[in-house]
Amino acid sequence: KEKQKRSLCIFSTGALARIGLKKYDIIHYHWIFNELISIDEMLSFKKKIIITIHDLWFLNGSTHYNSENVNFLTKILEKFLKKNKIEKLKKKKNLTITTPSLWTHTQFAKKLKNTNIKIIPNDGRLITKKKIKHISDKNEKIYLRNKYNLPVDEFIGLINFDQKNVNIKGYDLLNKILTKLNKLDKIKYLMIFGKGTEEFDFKKFSNLIFLNLGFVDYNVMSEIYRLGDITLLPSRQETYSQIVSESIDMNVPVVTFDNSGQAEHYNHKINGYKAKAFDCNDFIK
């Protein structure tokens, strides 16, 4: 029902054996979507292992985030895979896990007691290789908005939409939020970017004016953020949000739900607003 990505990772690929890891003292895994290497292969390394967490896959069966609305067969499979995985992680010596937020750290600390778990916080500097010099006066916004043919004096919101992990990214909540904004007629202009914008139903919101940017190249993302006045992120669950950290780094405030890792990267009512978890009216406020 939630349309989540899943990674079984229970079959041996032989990939690590071909690398010849025995000559190394430390192996560092970055774990992201669509990996194939099994947990047994990963933990077979006899020396020090570091696992940097980008989602909650290591605490679940096959899903990358916590799930609630799963069917009966999935529930059985998830329970079996989860128990097996956590037991193996608990037994592994010389294992260090790093997390990008306090929220993520708490999730792991609950289930992996006595495991060395460290928080490595991100500071929102992922967007560029060198620090951008911010121009805080109005001239910069006028220049950028003229460049993209946008109204200079209007309030504009920014939304990322990639049509993946619909439940986790809260796109059903986004639909509710935009439906109410459409009736309120207070915010008119929205920019939307991401790989899934072609799937977005713009016609549902006749009182809102959208600029569809589609997929945005890495090198121009800093401009896109600074075109807007606020960034909206309706996610149900984030171990860490690159959207939030990049937006804050571009001096653009954010609105998110106060429920997981993304809410740690900004200060409430200073450079953003933390809405009560999944309360669309509070989000709109």
Side-chain angles (χ1 to χ4, degrees):
K1 293 177 182 177
E2 294 182 358
K3 295 183 180 178
Q4 270 209 59
K5 275 192 173 185
R6 294 181 183 176
S7 304
L8 278 176
C9 303
I10 57 176
F11 303 109
S12 177
T13 64
L16 297 183
R18 291 194 295 273
I19 296 172
L21 295 177
K22 290 181 179 179
K23 59 186 177 182
Y24 298 107
D25 297 312
I26 301 173
I27 185 167
H28 183 181
Y29 296 106
H30 280 275
W31 194 254
I32 55 177
F33 282 152
N34 299 330
E35 300 291 0
L36 296 172
I37 296 170
S38 71
I39 190 80
D40 290 319
E41 286 180 281
M42 293 179 69
L43 299 181
S44 66
F45 186 67
K46 302 299 183 185
K47 300 175 188 176
K48 189 168 184 61
I49 295 176
I50 300 172
I51 300 175
T52 290
I53 297 303
H54 298 276
D55 58 43
L56 300 182
W57 183 82
F58 284 93
L59 297 182
N60 293 312
S62 64
T63 60
H64 291 261
Y65 292 91
N66 293 334
S67 295
E68 294 177 2
N69 301 318
V70 294
N71 61 44
F72 178 70
L73 289 176
T74 300
K75 196 175 287 187
I76 294 172
L77 177 64
E78 288 297 296
K79 186 176 180 180
F80 170 76
L81 292 174
K82 183 192 297 186
K83 183 180 178 182
N84 188 43
K85 190 186 298 180
I86 289 175
E87 284 179 357
K88 288 176 179 177
L89 287 169
K90 281 182 176 179
K91 290 177 183 177
K92 185 63 183 175
K93 296 179 180 179
N94 295 325
L95 171 64
T96 298
I97 292 175
T98 74
T99 72
S101 63
L102 176 60
W103 180 83
T104 314
H105 181 277
T106 302
Q107 300 296 306
F108 276 80
K110 284 178 184 176
K111 295 182 180 178
L112 294 178
K113 294 177 180 177
N114 301 320
T115 302
N116 189 17
I117 306 170
K118 303 288 186 183
I119 303 174
I120 301 182
N122 290 275
D123 66 353
R125 299 295 186 263
L126 304 180
I127 190 166
T128 52
K129 293 178 181 176
K130 60 180 180 179
K131 175 68 177 162
I132 285 178
K133 183 180 179 182
H134 296 296
I135 304 170
S136 58
D137 60 27
K138 197 175 180 181
N139 291 332
E140 180 191 44
K141 185 166 281 188
I142 291 172
Y143 165 76
L144 287 173
R145 290 202 175 177
N146 284 334
K147 179 179 176 179
Y148 286 85
N149 296 314
L150 290 170
V152 172
D153 296 323
E154 294 286 351
F155 186 89
I156 301 179
L158 180 65
I159 300 169
N160 172 247
F161 189 84
D162 64 11
Q163 199 58 21
K164 293 178 182 177
N165 298 296
V166 173
N167 181 268
I168 294 303
K169 293 300 180 183
Y171 291 140
D172 57 324
L173 300 172
L174 176 64
N175 182 66
K176 291 180 182 178
I177 290 163
L178 293 180
T179 299
K180 292 191 177 187
L181 287 177
N182 188 56
K183 292 177 181 177
L184 286 173
D185 200 26
K186 287 189 175 182
I187 294 177
K188 195 170 276 188
Y189 291 90
L190 292 160
M191 294 184 297
I192 186 166
F193 73 96
K195 292 182 179 179
T197 58
E198 292 180 3
E199 307 291 327
F200 189 84
D201 190 0
F202 296 99
K203 293 179 182 178
K204 285 179 68 175
F205 314 106
S206 57
N207 292 324
L208 301 176
I209 298 171
F210 290 91
L211 172 63
N212 181 9
L213 298 164
F215 175 74
V216 177
D217 184 79
Y218 172 87
N219 295 312
V220 297
M221 268 312 303
S222 60
E223 283 191 355
I224 300 305
Y225 282 109
R226 288 181 287 169
L227 283 166
D229 294 290
I230 198 163
T231 299
L232 311 178
L233 186 88
S235 296
R236 280 190 170 85
Q237 205 173 110
E238 296 277 353
T239 50
Y240 163 79
S241 173
Q242 189 168 330
I243 298 293
V244 169
S245 67
E246 289 177 347
S247 184
I248 294 299
D249 195 40
M250 295 296 107
N251 295 332
V252 179
V254 297
V255 180
T256 79
F257 292 115
D258 187 12
N259 64 303
S260 54
Q262 77 279 358
E264 295 176 28
H265 303 300
Y266 65 96
N267 297 312
H268 185 52
K269 295 186 178 181
I270 295 176
N271 55 352
Y273 186 85
K274 299 179 183 182
K276 295 173 186 175
F278 319 135
D279 184 336
C280 293
N281 290 324
D282 194 22
F283 194 101
I284 290 167
K285 184 178 92 173

